[in-house]
Structures are given as C-alpha cells and as structure tokens.
Amino acid sequence: MSQRFEGTDNYVATDDLKVAVNAAIALQRPLLIKGEPGTGKTVLAEEVAKALGAPLITWHIKSTTKASQGLYEYDAVTRLRDSQLGDERVKDVTNYIKKGKLWEAFTSDVRPVLLIDEIDKADIEFPNDLLQELDRMEFFVYETGETIKAQVRPVIIITSNNEKELPDAFLRRCFFHYIRFPEAETMQSIVDVHYPGIKQKLVAEALRIFYDMRKVPGLKKKPSTSELLDWLKLLMVEDIDEAILKEKDPTKLIPPLHGALLKNEQDVHLFERLAFLARREGSGARPGQ
C-alpha cells in the first residue's frame, strides 16, 4: 500500500495540498483542512483513501454531536428495560455498547483514513474532548474494563468551514492546510476532469462570468466549485451556446440558470438590482432621478 498521496484521476490536487497530506502522514498528526464550502475538503478524504488503498471511515459532525459518541455509546435505558423483561441479553454488557467511529478506526486491521467532517459544527469543547484519544490513540471502556488501543495509527483528516475558532491546544496537535479558492487555471483542470468532452469556448465564457460574480461586493454566499460544476452541467443539458454567455456582464444581466450559482434570495436581489441600475444608466437616466 502506497503511503504517499499524489492526487488521483478524479481529484485535482495542488502541489501545496499534496505536500500537506504527505506531511501529516509522515508526522502521524491529524490534517486539519479549512476552506470555504465547496472547495473539495470532504472529497479530499475520499480521494486520499482511494490513493492509499485504505478504507474510509467517516464521522459527520452535527451541532448535537458529543466527543464520547466517537468512542462508544452505552445504552443503559434499553438494558434496564430488558432486565425488567427477563431478557438473557442483559448478562452481557457488550450487547448494549454501540461502537463509535474512533473505535472502528482503532480496531481496523489495515490502516484506515478517518474523516472527522465539519468539526466546527459541534460545541466548542468538542475538539478539546478528543485531544487525549487522538494523542494516545487509545481510550478506556468503563462498562467492560477494557482499553481500546489503535492497532495501526489511522490517517486522520479533519475538515472545518471556519464557522467557529478551534482551541489552540487542538490546533497545536494538527498539521494545518487552507485550501485556497482555485485560480482559473486550476479550475479549468477541475472542469476537464469532470466533463472531459465539454466545449472549451463554453467553459471560457462560463469561467469568466463565474469569477466576475464572485468579485461582486456584498455577496452573502459566493458561488463555489461544486456550484460551477452544477451550472456547467445544466448549460450542457439545456444546450446553451457560449454565444448566449459571451460579453454578458453578470452585474448588468443575470446569467441563464443562475439558480445553480446563487443560493439565497438576497444574492439574487443584489444581481437584479445591479442589472436594473445598469439598464437605467444605459437608457440615460441619472442616479437619483
């Protein structure tokens, strides 16, 4: 099994991202990946697992997730009910222990990739509560008296959308990488990977509009890579020609199928207002008239 990540056929990884992944593997530290939504943070873990020939274990974090759930959960309520019903299962406490994602990763026969996805969604104490287990690669199960110790240290990838600041003690233990929003050249490569036969003139016009839209001040949510790919797919499905996109400034005329790019009414209204003002200026009306 290779232990170096060089990108895959389906994932365009920049050189600095490859360096970050391989540094985290070499240091045996969690790789903390930040970047705006839609820049491929979650997909990275899938592709690293594929490239290393490793199983992927995914722990999706929600606002209600507790760190202990990554270790295990003990269902005392069901055990009590079963004991009242005289169920034989109560004699074995392991029947009431649900293994968490860390337990799964620690007991894997081959080195897995463990993705802790969107860690900033959880309570501020969540990262600190995981520190000891991620450092020592072991934890104690009180109900059975056993210690679960990692057979092989998993490759750990942690993603964050920067919704909350993460504690310093946690950050010190991670190798950090920020996925910058792709430049036009990298974005072209990403598009080529997803749509190999797409017309390059259409891509050129679509990319121009896409990057112009991202520059508009006051946008609540800038369109991301995944939204650009959705938009291109729709342009192909609807057979929209590049001539329709050509020379259209998004601040003067909203592009076709913009619902793939703009995901809230404030942003749609912003572009409608800009287009309206541009039309007024074009018809000779001065602002304030």
Side-chain angles (χ1 to χ4, degrees):
M1 181 170 80
S2 166
Q3 285 301 298
R4 284 192 67 77
F5 176 66
E6 300 296 341
T8 69
D9 293 342
N10 302 319
Y11 189 88
V12 176
T14 55
D15 288 342
D16 58 345
L17 178 57
K18 290 181 211 169
V19 166
V21 171
N22 291 317
I25 292 171
L27 291 169
Q28 297 195 332
R29 286 182 178 268
L31 173 63
L32 175 62
I33 295 282
K34 287 188 179 183
E36 63 178 85
T39 45
K41 298 186 296 297
T42 303
V43 181
L44 171 67
E46 295 166 11
E47 296 302 324
V48 168
K50 207 182 292 177
L52 301 182
L56 175 67
I57 297 168
T58 303
W59 186 14
H60 293 294
I61 306 303
K62 302 175 188 166
S63 58
T64 53
T65 306
K66 298 280 176 268
S68 58
Q69 291 171 309
L71 312 179
Y72 68 94
E73 292 179 86
Y74 169 55
D75 190 351
V77 175
T78 302
R79 193 180 187 203
L80 176 62
R81 191 187 65 219
D82 287 353
S83 70
Q84 290 166 343
L85 297 170
D87 194 316
E88 283 294 304
R89 290 182 354 122
V90 296
K91 292 175 182 171
D92 185 357
V93 69
T94 60
N95 288 323
Y96 303 93
I97 288 177
K98 183 188 173 193
K99 296 175 182 179
K101 298 293 184 180
L102 261 71
W103 188 323
E104 202 182 316
F106 286 6
T107 53
S108 174
D109 293 333
V110 292
R111 188 184 200 187
V113 172
L114 172 64
L115 168 64
I116 303 176
D117 201 23
E118 300 195 319
I119 196 169
D120 52 328
K121 283 240 184 328
D123 182 85
I124 192 65
E125 286 308 312
F126 179 92
N128 280 338
D129 291 345
L130 278 181
L131 280 180
Q132 190 169 314
E133 287 75 18
L134 292 181
D135 263 358
R136 294 185 182 174
M137 286 285 136
E138 65 178 49
F139 62 89
F140 185 68
V141 184
Y142 294 95
E143 290 75 12
T144 62
E146 63 182 321
T147 298
I148 304 299
K149 193 172 176 62
Q151 295 173 30
V152 281
R153 196 177 183 99
V155 174
I156 299 172
I157 296 177
I158 301 169
T159 70
S160 167
N161 284 330
N162 252 346
E163 288 178 16
K164 284 194 196 94
E165 278 300 313
L166 297 170
D168 287 348
F170 181 79
L171 294 173
R172 275 198 298 276
R173 285 164 172 82
C174 296
F175 190 90
F176 173 73
H177 182 73
Y178 183 84
I179 297 185
R180 288 187 182 81
F181 198 81
E183 306 274 335
E185 192 179 326
T186 306
M187 191 66 88
Q188 175 79 55
S189 305
I190 293 169
V191 170
D192 290 344
V193 160
H194 284 81
Y195 308 126
I198 193 169
K199 289 188 285 187
Q200 289 307 314
K201 285 181 181 172
L202 177 67
V203 175
E205 293 303 329
L207 283 178
R208 180 184 58 76
I209 289 176
F210 173 75
Y211 280 104
D212 280 351
M213 287 179 84
R214 283 183 54 87
K215 286 180 203 155
V216 171
L219 260 191
K220 190 174 179 191
K221 186 193 175 305
K222 293 178 180 180
S224 68
T225 309
S226 55
E227 283 145 5
L228 170 68
L229 293 172
D230 285 348
W231 187 47
L232 283 168
K233 185 176 183 178
L234 286 174
L235 292 176
M236 289 189 290
V237 166
E238 297 295 328
D239 200 20
I240 288 175
D241 195 76
E242 69 270 6
I244 295 172
L245 303 182
K246 207 167 177 62
E247 298 309 318
K248 281 190 180 170
D249 182 340
T251 61
K252 294 177 182 169
L253 195 67
I254 300 187
L257 303 163
H258 63 269
L261 298 169
L262 302 174
K263 294 302 174 81
N264 61 70
E265 62 279 14
Q266 292 99 310
D267 288 347
V268 174
H269 290 158
L270 172 65
F271 277 95
E272 284 173 346
R273 204 159 54 244
L274 290 168
F276 173 71
L277 290 171
R279 281 198 300 275
R280 282 187 63 183
E281 284 173 17
S283 64
R286 288 195 302 273
Q289 282 189 330

